[in-house]
Amino acid sequence: MSQATLLTTKDLSKHFDGVMAVNLVNLEVTDQEVHSIIGPNGAGKTTLINVITGLLAASEGSVTYQGQDITTKPVHERVRLGICRTFQITSIFMGLTVYENVRIAAQSHLGGSLRIMSPRGGLKRVNAKTEQILERVGLTHVAGRQAELLAHGDQRVLEVAISLASEPQVLLLDEPAAGMSPAETDQMSELIAALGTEMAVLLVEHDMEVVMAISQRITVLHQGGVIARGTPEEIASDQQVREAYLGGDDWAVLTA
Amino acid sequence: MNSVETQAPGGVIIKTVTGSLTGKLIMLAVFVILAILPFVLPDKFWIRQVNQIMIYALLAMSLDVLLGYTGLLSFMHNAYLGIGAYITGLFLIHVAPESLWLAMAVGAVCTTLIALPVGWVQVRTGGLAFALLTLAFGMMFYTVAWKWYDVTGGDDGLMGLPQPDITLFGLKLASSGDSTAMYMFTLAILVMCFLFTWRVIHSPLGAVLEAIRENEQRAAFVGINVRAYKLIGWMLACGLAGIAGSVYILFRGYTGPGVMGAFEGAGVLMMVLLGGMGTLWGPLIGAAIFIIMKDQLSSFTEDWEIFVGIIVILLVLFLPRGVAGLPDLFRRGKAE
Ligand SMILES: Nc1ncnc2c1ncn2[C@@H]1O[C@H](COP(=O)(O)OP(=O)(O)O)[C@@H](O)[C@H]1O
Ligand SMILES: [Mg+2]
């Protein structure tokens, strides 16, 4: 059983006047796998996602997706190709309802944005997709609520729902469980694990328990560079990782 | 037509003033009253006054497409009214003095085409830079109208405009020189443009524009080509402003560069803010308030701008969502 490599980075780097936020990173993202990126604060995890998704231009190196060089493609074209993401700081349409948040993503993916003579709610496939996703993530009961009025945890879930509406092949999640309660974190990690059987998931997460439980592969980033990669078991016993994390609370979980 | 979109699953119904039946009935009533008005108003002065309000209402509504729905600030939207006016005027003077509809179409299409490269440049920037570019381009257009004497008549403006007949399917209805006929013509154009814009804003395209307004970054990350859709919104808004310009020059029989000035542009922005942006109908009311206020005050004092300024400041402070925000105040009052 060999799974397809969907996305690779080659010597990918991002420098901010002198700061090597991401430094010569080589990464393979495989279909139907949860691949976690871990590393201390400032390691360059978010920057790596920003460069892969096109929010930031790479300083050096390349990003290849299904054999195609996408290093300089604009954000929206990468999304169309199937590379979607969530943000560390929630990024949703605060003034719109939960339903509208997901619908605009579904509409953008399925088409119909230029049908100026039909009502917004008139695109049947878009509505069906929207309802299906809300059902899946468990937000149907708040579909009519303005996103701004949702609890923080639900806003995080909504952002994942928005990303799913684009039917991603590679989904990049930047600390999706940040600020969530333990119960919400459990639900989120269950959802991510399930998504990992359908698409490639690149997960950045601080909660080591979650990372260890649902990842098939882990890459450890430290000061912009990859210092270790392997299965959760391999990473847990890695000496270099131990040193990178020295003094951090996370380590207790890793070795527990 | 909005019942589908306001009924979200889960039984939650989102009520908006404009989406509700009451809102539609009020709009209908307003348009009916406007249609009766010229026959009950005491004199031509008032007919022309309301006519002018309707032209600026159309302009303010077109600016709302940008400001309220796409989240783009245009400081000099009146520049595109001016362009539409000059082009329509020039067409009537030099090409076809009798073809009212053709002149209108040429005005709207050319305004939109001129807006295309401008918008193309503008959407490559964001936020404040976009707003500053609208100012820069607006000033440029103003200067062209003011200095290109051979074509525009410079400071004197475009004069000697023919007054074509208002026709419908080849049938002569009236002369555009007749103030009641011009009034009804303006009202018809306003209603058509309003219904068209309403339709577009409440279509999937409007949802895209709103998404850009709400969160440009997220919009890009759901696969929206933000620049392309901003450009669509920009051209729609400029095309509508161009139509307002065509009606403007037919109404006045003249246009000068003054109508394209920066001070006028600020006035249009105030109309939208006073009426309430993001509603389409709010700016119509805002235009009426602004023009009546300006006229009343300027008959009392030469320094009317100061008082307009003060009133706008008070309204912005105490009614931040404009007149359109009033029903919310009442609704909140009821709920508490
Ligand atoms: N936009 C930026 N401008 C300058 N420096 C940045 C920017 N974004 C991130 N950095 C720097 O890059 C490094 C990596 O940051 P980040 O990718 O956010 O780390 P992580 O997500 O792993 O916590 C940090 O030193 C940070 O200060
Ligand atoms: Mg981060």
Side-chain angles (χ1 to χ4, degrees):
Chain A
M1 192 184 76
S2 79
Q3 290 154 324
T5 301
L6 289 180
L7 187 142
T8 49
T9 70
K10 183 152 189 309
D11 296 338
L12 195 62
S13 304
K14 180 69 193 181
H15 308 160
F16 296 109
D17 8 77
V19 181
M20 311 277 238
V22 172
N23 197 17
L24 300 171
V25 169
N26 292 290
L27 207 66
E28 283 197 357
V29 183
T30 311
D31 200 9
Q32 295 171 27
E33 205 173 81
V34 176
H35 182 159
S36 290
I37 309 279
I38 62 169
N41 262 330
K45 306 180 294 292
T46 298
T47 306
L48 178 62
I49 289 190
N50 287 345
V51 176
I52 292 176
T53 55
L55 185 61
L56 295 174
S59 308
E60 273 166 59
S62 63
V63 184
T64 309
Y65 175 71
Q66 297 188 327
Q68 187 183 2
D69 186 340
I70 59 161
T71 317
T72 56
K73 275 209 183 302
V75 166
H76 66 96
E77 282 183 28
R78 297 187 205 209
V79 174
R80 305 233 140 175
L81 289 172
I83 303 169
C84 304
R85 70 173 290 180
T86 66
F87 287 83
Q88 186 169 353
I89 295 162
T90 311
S91 178
I92 55 180
F93 305 108
M94 288 293 181
L96 307 185
T97 66
V98 170
Y99 191 86
E100 289 167 331
N101 264 271
V102 178
R103 185 178 64 192
I104 187 65
Q107 175 188 312
S108 172
H109 177 66
L110 296 171
S113 289
L114 290 174
R115 300 251 312 261
I116 56 171
M117 285 303 143
S118 56
R120 288 187 192 182
L123 305 171
K124 291 210 172 60
R125 281 173 64 214
V126 170
N127 293 345
K129 182 89 205 153
T130 305
E131 280 150 33
Q132 176 212 328
I133 286 170
L134 288 175
E135 196 63 47
R136 168 164 200 183
V137 302
L139 288 177
T140 306
H141 65 292
V142 286
R145 193 168 300 169
Q146 196 190 326
E148 197 169 17
L149 304 176
L150 288 184
H152 171 78
D154 283 344
Q155 289 184 343
R156 302 295 288 174
V157 175
L158 175 57
E159 194 169 354
V160 175
I162 292 170
S163 311
L164 290 180
S166 310
E167 298 186 329
Q169 306 211 44
V170 177
L171 178 61
L172 301 94
L173 303 170
D174 197 351
E175 304 198 22
M180 280 188 158
S181 72
E184 288 170 335
T185 302
D186 281 351
Q187 278 181 353
M188 180 58 92
S189 97
E190 216 173 283
L191 175 63
I192 297 168
L195 294 174
T197 66
E198 301 162 25
M199 59 192 79
V201 177
L202 195 70
L203 172 70
V204 170
E205 184 49 64
H206 262 314
D207 189 327
M208 279 306 151
E209 218 167 328
V210 172
V211 169
M212 287 297 154
I214 67 174
S215 314
Q216 278 79 52
R217 192 190 300 254
I218 296 176
T219 297
V220 187
L221 223 52
H222 186 59
Q223 292 174 355
V226 175
I227 57 163
R229 51 179 105 225
T231 62
E233 296 74 31
E234 286 163 357
I235 295 302
S237 55
D238 192 292
Q239 185 61 34
Q240 237 193 321
V241 180
R242 190 183 295 260
E243 275 157 22
Y245 270 94
L246 208 66
D249 300 333
D250 294 332
W251 197 246
V253 188
L254 269 173
T255 48
Chain B
M1 73 188 164
N2 281 331
S3 57
V4 194
E5 77 139 336
T6 48
Q7 168 86 59
V12 192
I13 294 165
I14 317 128
K15 271 237 170 71
T16 55
V17 178
T18 40
S20 69
L21 185 62
T22 333
K24 279 176 194 156
L25 287 176
I26 292 174
M27 279 317 294
L28 183 67
V30 169
F31 286 135
V32 168
I33 290 170
L34 280 173
I36 299 170
L37 219 51
F39 306 103
V40 294
L41 278 177
D43 58 47
K44 286 205 163 40
F45 170 80
W46 284 106
I47 294 176
R48 290 184 64 80
Q49 181 82 337
V50 181
N51 197 338
Q52 194 196 347
I53 287 174
M54 290 194 294
I55 292 168
Y56 275 91
L58 177 53
L59 180 63
M61 181 198 76
S62 76
L63 179 55
D64 196 26
V65 171
L66 282 180
L67 199 58
Y69 288 96
T70 322
L72 292 173
L73 180 54
S74 172
F75 278 125
M76 288 185 65
H77 206 51
N78 59 317
Y80 299 91
L81 177 142
I83 292 170
Y86 274 104
I87 289 174
T88 304
L90 288 168
F91 185 85
L92 284 172
I93 292 170
H94 299 296
V95 186
E98 285 302 317
S99 308
L100 173 103
W101 292 108
L102 193 58
M104 297 258 323
V106 167
V109 170
C110 290
T111 307
T112 314
L113 287 180
I114 289 172
L116 174 64
V118 175
W120 189 88
V121 172
Q122 286 178 172
V123 298
R124 252 135 264 269
T125 66
L128 193 57
F130 182 99
L132 288 175
L133 280 181
T134 64
L135 199 56
F137 278 111
M139 300 271 199
M140 225 178 68
F141 287 128
Y142 170 78
T143 310
V144 170
W146 181 34
K147 296 285 186 188
W148 198 10
Y149 192 87
D150 292 341
V151 173
T152 63
D155 234 356
D156 301 332
L158 214 53
M159 287 184 294
L161 198 77
Q163 291 180 334
D165 291 338
I166 299 170
T167 56
L168 202 59
F169 306 116
L171 235 66
K172 181 188 165 174
L173 297 181
S175 163
S176 61
D178 175 69
S179 55
T180 305
M182 191 59 217
Y183 177 103
M184 296 308 272
F185 178 72
T186 307
L187 177 61
I189 297 288
L190 174 64
V191 170
M192 282 191 288
C193 287
F194 180 80
L195 291 178
F196 171 74
T197 312
W198 182 268
R199 184 59 276 165
V200 171
I201 284 300
H202 293 90
S203 78
L205 175 63
V208 173
L209 298 182
E210 269 185 14
I212 293 172
R213 175 196 70 197
E214 284 295 314
N215 186 343
E216 205 173 311
Q217 178 182 273
R218 178 39 83 186
F221 275 102
V222 300
I224 291 169
N225 185 346
V226 173
R227 285 178 182 174
Y229 279 95
K230 276 184 176 175
L231 189 56
I232 291 174
W234 169 259
M235 286 170 64
L236 172 63
C238 290
L240 288 165
I243 294 174
S246 296
V247 182
Y248 175 87
I249 197 165
L250 287 167
F251 166 68
R252 291 199 61 193
Y254 159 87
T255 191
V259 71
M260 297 171 81
F263 204 78
E264 290 270 321
V268 186
L269 261 178
M270 283 183 195
M271 291 173 196
V272 178
L273 295 177
L274 285 178
M277 58 179 185
T279 58
L280 286 192
W281 57 269
L284 309 185
I285 298 171
I289 295 175
F290 187 85
I291 289 174
I292 292 169
M293 191 163 75
K294 177 176 148 178
D295 277 22
Q296 294 302 312
L297 285 171
S298 57
S299 63
F300 284 116
T301 161
E302 281 186 10
D303 306 317
W304 60 270
E305 290 101 333
I306 295 175
F307 296 95
V308 170
I310 291 170
I311 293 171
V312 169
I313 289 168
L314 289 176
L315 281 169
V316 166
L317 285 177
F318 295 106
L319 206 56
R321 288 192 51 227
V323 175
L326 272 176
D328 283 1
L329 292 182
F330 290 126
R331 215 175 295 148
R332 212 174 304 146
K334 243 188 259 174
E336 274 161 11

